[in-house]
Amino acid sequence: MEHPWGYTCLLALFFTCVNAATKDIDLSNHCGPLGNSVDISDATAGELYWDSYPPNKNCWLTLEAAVGKRIFLQFTDINIKGINKRLGCDDVLYVKQGRYAGSFTPDRSWEMVCGRSNIDYYATARYVTFNLVSSRHGGGHIRIRYTVYHHAYDSSECDGFYCVTRDKCIDDSLMCDGVDHCGGRSRGAYMTDESTDSDGGCGIVEHRKKVKIIGIACGCVGGVILLIAGVLVYWRYRRRSQ
């Protein structure tokens, strides 16, 4: 006899206790034609990297977050080779929210990253597309941090950590990893385990996890009690009817 209540409770407790997933993406293994994509719907943050991209490449990649989510990009370490002072950049990384297919070439509406640009890019959609075009140079490197978030007008709409200056809600497991996932060096967004804050500091993360675990445990116990009560009522009814 299967016990779906028990399985559900155990799964809920497991996914509550573990930290939310981070997913790093090696761009050299995901370089493809237009329409090529990587699913990050199970991730809260991660890094895209290419330690030394080759020459003569035209690589496409689209990040796909879960429905209702958005993607925040931070270009943490960029060295796009082949800068031509007169004509601009020979090697270019194009970035734009959305996904694209068919015959397509980036236009002026795309963010153009070259040289040692360090920018933040806020997408208002669940897709962000990259197009790396390298000429004869190659040899540059790319490191981009991404954070998955959803838009929230205030903290009441956020069940994680609320980035006040950006109206962003990120997973609270990211709050204490020493990284500014909110952008703009928002207060409390890049705290470490030793940090303190008027909102409770990093201790609030563990507190929320404990509250979730207690809530799930109480719900599971209540469900088991109701199940046992139902079985007893049914057993007594069968005995009386015999």
Side-chain angles (χ1 to χ4, degrees):
M1 180 179 177
E2 295 185 357
H3 302 283
W5 275 88
Y7 296 151
T8 302
C9 291
L10 288 174
L11 286 173
L13 285 169
F14 172 77
F15 285 113
T16 300
C17 294
V18 299
N19 287 329
T22 58
K23 184 175 184 177
D24 293 340
I25 300 168
D26 185 348
L27 291 172
S28 65
N29 295 328
H30 295 280
C31 173
L34 182 61
N36 175 49
S37 65
V38 172
D39 183 5
I40 58 170
S41 59
D42 58 345
T44 57
E47 186 178 56
L48 293 87
Y49 63 93
W50 200 334
D51 291 329
S52 181
Y53 64 79
N56 303 314
K57 279 288 185 180
N58 185 13
C59 296
W60 291 87
L61 176 66
T62 296
L63 293 185
E64 180 178 349
V67 176
K69 299 291 187 178
R70 302 177 181 184
I71 303 171
F72 169 50
L73 301 176
Q74 294 168 294
F75 294 76
T76 56
D77 187 8
I78 298 293
N79 185 11
I80 306 293
K81 294 285 189 177
I83 299 177
N84 184 307
K85 293 182 179 180
R86 184 173 63 87
L87 300 177
C89 299
D90 293 334
D91 295 352
V92 179
L93 176 66
Y94 295 99
V95 184
K96 189 176 182 180
Q97 68 181 27
R99 60 177 177 177
Y100 307 89
S103 178
F104 189 87
T105 302
D107 55 26
R108 292 185 177 181
S109 66
W110 287 64
E111 188 76 42
M112 188 175 74
V113 181
C114 64
R116 296 180 180 272
S117 301
N118 290 280
I119 63 173
D120 290 348
Y121 185 87
Y122 294 86
T124 57
R126 57 184 292 220
Y127 303 102
V128 174
T129 297
F130 302 86
N131 178 210
L132 174 64
V133 180
S134 65
S135 60
R136 64 185 183 278
H137 300 282
H141 61 262
I142 298 169
R143 287 195 175 272
I144 305 170
R145 181 189 302 121
Y146 73 86
T147 301
V148 179
Y149 72 99
H150 73 262
H151 185 268
Y153 289 103
D154 54 53
S155 58
S156 66
E157 298 179 354
C158 179
D159 59 356
F161 181 80
Y162 179 59
C163 303
V164 178
T165 59
R166 300 290 182 178
D167 291 336
K168 289 165 54 181
C169 181
I170 62 176
D171 193 277
D172 55 14
S173 67
L174 302 176
M175 180 178 166
C176 297
D177 63 358
V179 175
D180 179 16
H181 291 284
C182 287
R185 297 187 64 81
S186 301
R187 182 180 64 86
Y190 50 94
M191 293 190 296
T192 62
D193 290 338
E194 291 75 27
S195 301
T196 58
D197 185 80
S198 59
D199 295 326
C202 291
I204 197 171
V205 176
E206 295 302 320
H207 174 71
R208 286 174 178 169
K209 289 180 181 179
K210 290 177 182 178
V211 170
K212 288 179 182 179
I213 292 172
I214 292 172
I216 293 173
C218 290
C220 290
V221 171
V224 171
I225 291 174
L226 288 175
L227 181 63
I228 293 173
V231 171
L232 289 175
V233 169
Y234 177 74
W235 178 72
R236 291 186 65 182
Y237 170 78
R238 288 293 302 269
R239 287 198 61 183
R240 289 180 180 179
S241 63
Q242 290 177 353

